[in-house]
Amino acid sequence: MKKILLAAALVAAPLAARADTGLRLGGEADLAYHNSAGTSAITDNWPVALDLMLSYWTPGSVLSVDLEASEQWVAKDAVGGRHRRGTVLRPGIRLSPPAFPLYLRGAIPINIEQPTGYERETFDLRVGAGFNIPLVLFKIYLEGDLDFPLGGGSNAPSAFSAWAFRLGAGVDFHF
């Protein structure tokens, strides 16, 4: 077993050093959010999501251009019995200084599809910061994000009239 792990590490090391592309898998939850109905916490309806992100890292692996897809739902007190809240695409960037485990992230979430009863804006602004724990073949990440509405859609609030604080975690692979 030790020989297999050593062989995998020797094969993965050159790939990790190049690090042109990345794949990130994780989940997130709305810890707190505010809208026209008031401020709510995670325990009110357990809003959660699964995320998949593809990344292209520029030379030096300091800046990445990302495209994230997220599927969102609520686990409790769904509107009209519909637990699914919709699908979101998040084009964005990450700034990750070398040899430093913290990074900054910015994205423009685009709510591309949403079931009836979950009317919301089309575009948001996401700003966040995260922490990486590097392992041999991948990194474990923990990220906090703030989302603010920018506009669009049938029930669009004005910019910064609502917010959501989200916490996400998962694994980050660099190829």
Side-chain angles (χ1 to χ4, degrees):
M1 184 65 171
K2 289 182 182 179
K3 290 180 183 179
I4 293 173
L5 289 175
L6 179 60
L10 289 174
V11 169
L15 295 173
R18 204 174 114 203
D20 293 59
T21 59
L23 174 68
R24 191 166 104 160
L25 304 165
E28 67 181 40
D30 293 6
L31 296 184
Y33 53 96
H34 176 80
N35 54 28
S36 59
T39 303
S40 301
I42 187 171
T43 55
D44 292 340
N45 61 5
W46 291 97
V48 294
L50 287 177
D51 302 327
L52 170 72
M53 179 189 290
L54 298 174
S55 302
Y56 172 76
W57 288 90
T58 60
S61 295
V62 174
L63 180 71
S64 77
V65 178
D66 306 318
L67 179 61
E68 182 177 37
S70 180
E71 187 64 31
Q72 302 174 334
W73 68 92
V74 294
K76 175 181 155 189
D77 297 334
V79 174
R82 293 181 179 92
H83 290 277
R84 220 171 131 264
R85 283 178 41 196
T87 305
V88 180
L89 283 180
R90 296 185 189 112
I93 60 170
R94 272 186 291 173
L95 179 62
S96 182
F100 195 63
L102 297 177
Y103 64 88
L104 300 175
R105 181 168 177 235
I108 303 292
I110 304 166
N111 298 307
I112 59 170
E113 175 268 335
Q114 50 207 354
T116 306
Y118 291 103
E119 302 300 325
R120 57 186 178 178
E121 68 283 349
T122 303
F123 300 100
D124 294 308
L125 171 65
R126 172 172 278 201
V127 293
F131 181 81
N132 286 318
I133 301 169
L135 301 174
V136 175
L137 299 176
F138 57 89
K139 296 177 182 177
I140 296 174
Y141 75 91
L142 181 63
E143 180 176 295
D145 296 303
L146 284 170
D147 283 7
F148 302 98
L150 288 180
S154 59
N155 191 21
S158 60
F160 302 105
S161 63
W163 55 265
F165 173 63
R166 296 186 164 104
L167 186 63
V171 293
D172 194 355
F173 298 91
H174 289 229
F175 305 105

